[in-house]
Each structure stands twice: as C-alpha cells, then as structure tokens.
Amino acid sequence: LGLATAPTIVIDVLAAFAAGTVEPDGVVLSAGTGAIAAAVADHRVVQRADGHGWLVGDAGSAVWLGIQGTRAALEALDGRGPATSLAARLAEALGVRATAREDVAEDIVTAAYRRPPAELGRLAPMVVEAAEQDDMVAAALVEQAADELARTLETVAGDTEPRVVVLAGSLLTHAELIDRGVRRRLEARWPDAPIRAAASAEAGAAALAVALHGDGPVTDEVLDRLRG
C-alpha cells in the first residue's frame, strides 16, 4: 500500500518499525491496548497478523490480559479455578467494595461490563504485578501472553530469520516480565536477529517521513536525534 492510501493501522505499524531501526526491512510487533505484527520490506507492510480487535483478536495484548485476568479472578471466586490474588487486586482496581464472595463476583462482572473494552487493558499491569509476586495463576497468564505475542510475530516472518526485530507498544516497553518472555522466545527462534525497542510514535513517524521523502536514507545518528 502507498502511504497516502494506507489504513491508519498500517501507518502506525510502519511508524513503530521506523522508531526502532533504520533498516528498511524486518519485522515489528506492537503490543499495547491491542496487538499486531507485520513484516516490512522497503518501508512497506507486506504481511500482517492479528490487530483484529479485542473481541476476535489482539491475542496477548493488554486488553486480552485484562480480560483473562478477570476471568481467572471470577473462576477463583466461583470455586471453578485455583485461588489467586487477582480476585482482590482486580476488585480493587474496578472499584468493587463488596465483602461477600458472591457479591464480589457479581460486582466485578457489573464493573467490567460498564467499561469500554479498551479500559480493561488498564487491568493488565495488575496481572503482571501479581505474576512478579509469584501468583501462579497470573504467572501462567503472563507466559501465555508472551507465547501469543511471539507466535503472532513468528507468523509474519515465516521461515526466514528477519534482518531486524522491532518491539513496540506499552506492554513491551513497560511490562518487563512480558518483554523478557517475548525476547526469550524470539532469541531462541532467531539467535542472530537483532532485537530493537521502538522509541516514541512521534520519532517513528518523523523517521518514516524522512525515509520515504528525504534525500537519503535515515542514519543511526538521525534516528538518535529524533528519539531525543
């Protein structure tokens, strides 16, 4: 797609890629509220995976993790699943003040349905925090999120080791446990591919504009200046 006619999601992915590397080719994984991966060639998206939204996709994203954490909390309160600190953590995060077990579950459901789906992504940090404090249920969800994100990225790369891997989005830049999990999987799959963290979206957009419309290629020096 030409940039002028590309959907916003494609432009966002290209900007994320350009925020992490000066290479024109590689793969990028962006995981924040949603999750999407793309293969990039000559600063064009040639293949993408996921980015399908919270209801039918975005596996491993912040919203996905928030929803999975809420389900695990409700299963624990119902007695259908193992005990987890997520029940208390997410109840507090959702403003639930009930004390009876059944009332807590009902109020969590009510609070969750009252929020736009994107807001459930704000529960993801609580799931990560619980995993960091050795909650086994939360730890399993974080591992599953890392698995889903790595699988999405591997899908667009195919059988070829990419020239560079760019990781972008708040879930990878601010949730160290998930970032480490994704990197561990990718390093095992592509031991020679450099993995770069993306800078801000603004820096990526500027770098992409320079790459596509400037007089020469973007250098590391230029990218560093844009990052600053």
Side-chain angles (χ1 to χ4, degrees):
L1 288 172
L3 196 58
T5 59
T8 300
I9 193 170
V10 171
I11 297 174
D12 290 344
V13 167
L14 287 173
F17 180 75
T21 181
V22 298
E23 295 286 350
D25 310 321
V27 295
V28 56
L29 170 66
S30 181
T33 302
I36 186 172
V40 177
D42 193 24
H43 296 293
R44 297 289 190 275
V45 171
V46 294
Q47 185 177 351
R48 54 175 278 198
D50 212 344
H52 301 313
W54 70 272
L55 184 61
V56 294
D58 290 350
S61 69
V63 172
W64 180 94
L65 192 57
I67 291 173
Q68 297 302 319
T70 303
R71 287 175 173 167
L74 291 171
E75 288 177 1
L77 290 168
D78 286 348
R80 295 181 293 128
T84 172
S85 65
L86 291 175
R89 290 174 188 271
L90 299 191
E92 181 178 359
L94 291 168
V96 171
R97 298 288 182 261
T99 55
R101 191 180 186 92
E102 295 79 6
D103 292 341
V104 172
E106 183 176 346
D107 287 356
I108 285 177
V109 172
T110 300
Y113 275 108
R114 281 177 176 169
R115 285 163 169 73
E119 284 194 16
L120 295 179
R122 297 179 182 177
L123 302 178
M126 288 75 173
V127 180
V128 175
E129 183 180 82
E132 291 171 340
Q133 297 177 7
D134 299 325
D135 184 301
M136 299 304 294
V137 173
L141 291 177
V142 167
E143 284 294 302
Q144 187 180 352
D147 278 338
E148 294 286 358
L149 292 171
R151 183 166 66 94
T152 298
L153 186 59
E154 289 167 356
T155 298
V156 299
D159 297 328
T160 304
E161 183 165 305
R163 180 180 295 184
V164 64
V165 176
V166 175
L167 302 181
S170 59
L171 200 61
L172 293 169
T173 56
H174 293 96
E176 185 178 350
L177 201 59
I178 294 180
D179 180 59
R180 286 205 310 264
V182 170
R183 285 174 180 265
R184 185 173 66 250
R185 288 159 175 79
L186 299 181
E187 287 166 355
R189 175 72 180 270
W190 305 312
D192 297 323
I195 300 177
R196 304 282 186 256
S200 68
E202 292 81 1
L208 183 62
V210 172
L212 293 178
H213 305 295
D215 295 331
V218 179
T219 64
D220 287 319
E221 180 181 4
V222 170
L223 183 57
D224 286 341
R225 290 175 63 185
L226 292 172
R227 285 171 178 263

